[in-house]
Amino acid sequence: MNPYIEIIRPGNVLMALIVVILVAIIANTHDSIILLAILAVFFAISGGNVINDCFDHKIDSINRPDRPIPSGRISLKNGRNYAYILLGLAIIMGFIISYLEQNIIPGIIVLISVFILYFYASKFKSTVLLGNFIVGFMTGLCFVFAGYVIGIQINSPEIITTSFYLGFFALVMTMAREITKDMEDIEGDKKEDTKTLPIVYGLRKSSYLTTLLVIIACGLSPILYVLGIFDLIYLIIMIIAILLFLYGAIILLKDQSKETCHKTSKYLKIGMLISFIAFALGSFNLF
């Protein structure tokens, strides 16, 4: 794979783009503004991933030596320039949307997101729990951004409200996965004196918090059906995701080895993808 494609982490970017498409499906619209929202999210998440790799190149030389910068396939200077271009394009795209919709909120959301992405990578990533929260917050913010862009365009306050519900779910589950990834990367993080939750409080306590977050997300999931946001098919599909979430949490409680942490992270990611499918299929009669 071309290193300039690899460094943006296409899988993560695709997840974020799916969020925008998902909100469009929930709102039952295919307005052209959605394409601009997709581009804004693409540039922002891609730029955030690149700038993160720039600041993490020393840690990645231990944990992920095959990544483009530590492997030497992209120089640190070129990586930074690439990140700045992508983040700049995200801001431009956000304010184009604001101009077209005659509403400043989408542009402000993108601008704030870019600043958060930069300062997360440069300062806050190694802060206990704050870094995990920021990653979860940014994932949830993708829902909120899409909700505002589409909700303003079709004049639907309901879709904006729904995007906040989905954003909170994404925040909680992403935090759980990020903590699990920190548990998996504890060896390299220790060598770089990074203060992650597993390093400061230990693997066992970190597994407790991951499990608590999973339980919160699973417990709140039926509320989206009870409130009438999604129909019965959502609830049926979500059972599969919930089982994956809980299974990942259970094996993590029993064993905090690197291999188990990796498995749990994978189960949580697959569960989130299934959740997105549940959101989409459970919304056909929503609006």
Side-chain angles (χ1 to χ4, degrees):
M1 183 184 295
N2 184 290
Y4 286 93
I5 296 176
E6 181 183 342
I7 198 171
I8 69 172
R9 299 182 198 172
N12 290 349
V13 173
L14 181 60
M15 286 278 287
L17 301 185
I18 287 174
V19 167
V20 181
I21 297 170
L22 178 61
V23 175
I25 292 172
I26 292 171
N28 191 26
T29 183
H30 48 79
D31 195 278
S32 58
I33 201 74
I34 297 168
L35 177 59
L36 297 180
I38 287 173
L39 288 173
V41 171
F42 171 80
F43 289 134
I45 300 301
S46 297
N49 286 336
V50 176
I51 199 65
N52 185 71
D53 276 14
C54 290
F55 283 106
D56 273 4
H57 69 280
K58 290 184 179 179
I59 294 177
D60 284 344
S61 66
I62 299 171
N63 288 333
R64 303 284 192 275
D66 57 327
R67 283 183 174 171
I69 292 178
S71 67
R73 287 177 290 150
I74 296 178
S75 70
L76 187 56
K77 180 181 178 181
N78 286 344
R80 285 191 178 125
N81 290 337
Y82 187 35
Y84 296 150
I85 291 171
L86 290 168
L87 294 174
L89 288 171
I91 294 172
I92 292 171
M93 200 60 58
F95 281 101
I96 288 175
I97 293 171
S98 285
Y99 173 77
L100 293 174
E101 294 195 321
Q102 295 297 295
N103 190 303
I104 196 65
I105 291 178
I108 294 298
I109 291 176
V110 175
L111 183 62
I112 291 173
S113 298
V114 167
F115 277 104
I116 291 175
L117 287 167
Y118 181 85
F119 285 107
Y120 161 76
S122 62
K123 296 182 181 296
F124 300 133
K125 184 176 183 180
S126 61
T127 304
V128 176
L129 270 185
L130 179 59
N132 303 128
F133 173 80
I134 289 174
V135 174
F137 177 80
M138 291 304 299
T139 304
L141 195 59
C142 286
F143 278 100
V144 175
F145 171 70
Y148 266 106
V149 171
I150 296 170
I152 292 168
Q153 186 68 17
I154 66 174
N155 192 27
S156 172
E158 292 88 354
I159 192 62
I160 296 175
T161 302
T162 299
S163 72
F164 275 90
Y165 283 114
L166 302 182
F168 180 74
F169 173 85
L171 184 156
V172 173
M173 285 309 307
T174 302
M175 273 193 71
R177 184 166 181 261
E178 287 298 310
I179 293 171
T180 305
K181 286 164 63 180
D182 282 346
M183 294 169 67
E184 182 183 357
D185 292 341
I186 190 170
E187 180 182 346
D189 290 341
K190 278 183 177 178
K191 292 180 180 179
E192 286 297 320
D193 198 30
T194 303
K195 303 300 181 184
T196 62
L197 183 72
I199 290 174
V200 175
Y201 292 102
L203 292 170
R204 172 63 67 176
K205 289 182 179 178
S206 298
S207 70
Y208 292 157
L209 181 55
T210 296
T211 301
L212 176 62
L213 291 170
V214 167
I215 291 172
I216 290 173
C218 291
L220 292 177
S221 293
I223 292 178
L224 298 174
Y225 168 72
V226 173
L227 294 177
I229 294 176
F230 296 124
D231 59 25
L232 184 59
I233 193 169
Y234 156 79
L235 202 58
I236 294 171
I237 297 174
M238 273 303 297
I239 291 174
I240 301 173
I242 288 171
L243 290 174
L244 271 176
F245 292 149
L246 293 176
Y247 178 71
I250 289 171
I251 64 172
L252 189 66
L253 284 173
K254 292 180 178 180
D255 175 32
Q256 295 84 48
S257 67
K258 184 181 180 73
E259 293 75 18
T260 301
C261 291
H262 179 73
K263 287 180 181 178
T264 296
S265 176
K266 182 176 69 174
Y267 290 140
L268 296 183
K269 187 173 184 176
I270 294 172
M272 288 182 70
L273 283 171
I274 294 173
S275 301
F276 289 176
I277 295 172
F279 298 157
L281 296 183
S283 65
F284 284 146
N285 299 318
L286 183 56
F287 294 107

